[in-house]
Amino acid sequence: MFTLVKMKDAIPIPADQLDKPRAVAVSHQIEDKYCNRVLLEVGLCVCLHELTELGDGLIYQSDASVHVRAEFTLLVFRPFNGEVLVGTVHKSTEQGLWISIGFFQDIYVAPHFMPDGSVWDEALELWVWKSEYGDAEISNNGPLRFRVNECIFRKVTRPLNAPPAANAELSLAGASAEDGNEEVEEIPALLVMGSIKDDGLGMVVWWDRQQEAEGEEGEAEE
């Protein structure tokens, strides 16, 4: 789920930070720049892991900052395909499930990657797995185990919450206009596609109950 990535960058230290030890000032600037940021085809940067090398500081004309060439490693979130993780249901819609693992919520499970027999219940506004053993809700009332199918990266050319340019036409999927107000569904820079279709996946409580039932049957046979 996590990996270490080596980076090289010229880190600017603002003039009001020059009184701090150079390693401390550089570390703070690296974290401000990279933490909670998605690097294309790399992953979501979580934190600075280690500052490995610092070069000399350079001052450029008309710039009060000191630019320090640094080498460092970042702790990055990028689950591998086939990895099994545990999270909770963040949002349920007719289009599928959105799962949260606490610090990351852009995990999507499409209906065709849910157990066979899963249907959308309009009254409950939940997905329900209908099987020969009865109905089981896929809700946010407990942990959910899922398998990673794919990580999809999207190049972001401008902030998603920035106002559109004058006379620009919105082309993002999910754009709608009601009462003159435009609502645009944000497309994440990193989208993790998941599945809960196989045995052992889905709500953890489903399989805990099955194990308890099998254990009781085994004790009865003895």
Side-chain angles (χ1 to χ4, degrees), residues 169-192:
E169 295 183 1
L170 293 177
S171 58
L172 288 177
S176 63
E178 293 182 4
D179 301 327
N181 295 325
E182 293 180 338
E183 297 181 357
V184 180
E185 180 181 345
E186 294 186 351
I187 302 174
L190 170 60
L191 179 63
V192 176

Side-chain angles (χ1 to χ4, degrees), residues 70-88:
E71 296 184 14
F72 50 93
T73 55
L74 297 171
L75 181 67
V76 173
F77 168 72
R78 183 179 181 175
F80 58 83
N81 294 351
E83 184 173 6
V84 175
L85 303 176
V86 176
T88 56

Side-chain angles (χ1 to χ4, degrees), residues 22 55-59 66-69:
R22 189 168 59 153
D56 295 331
L58 300 175
I59 300 177
V66 175
H67 297 258
V68 178
R69 177 67 64 176

Side-chain angles (χ1 to χ4, degrees), residues 30-42:
I30 291 173
E31 291 184 339
D32 287 344
K33 179 177 181 178
Y34 287 99
C35 289
N36 203 31
R37 175 185 172 189
V38 174
L39 298 181
L40 192 64
E41 303 302 332
V42 175

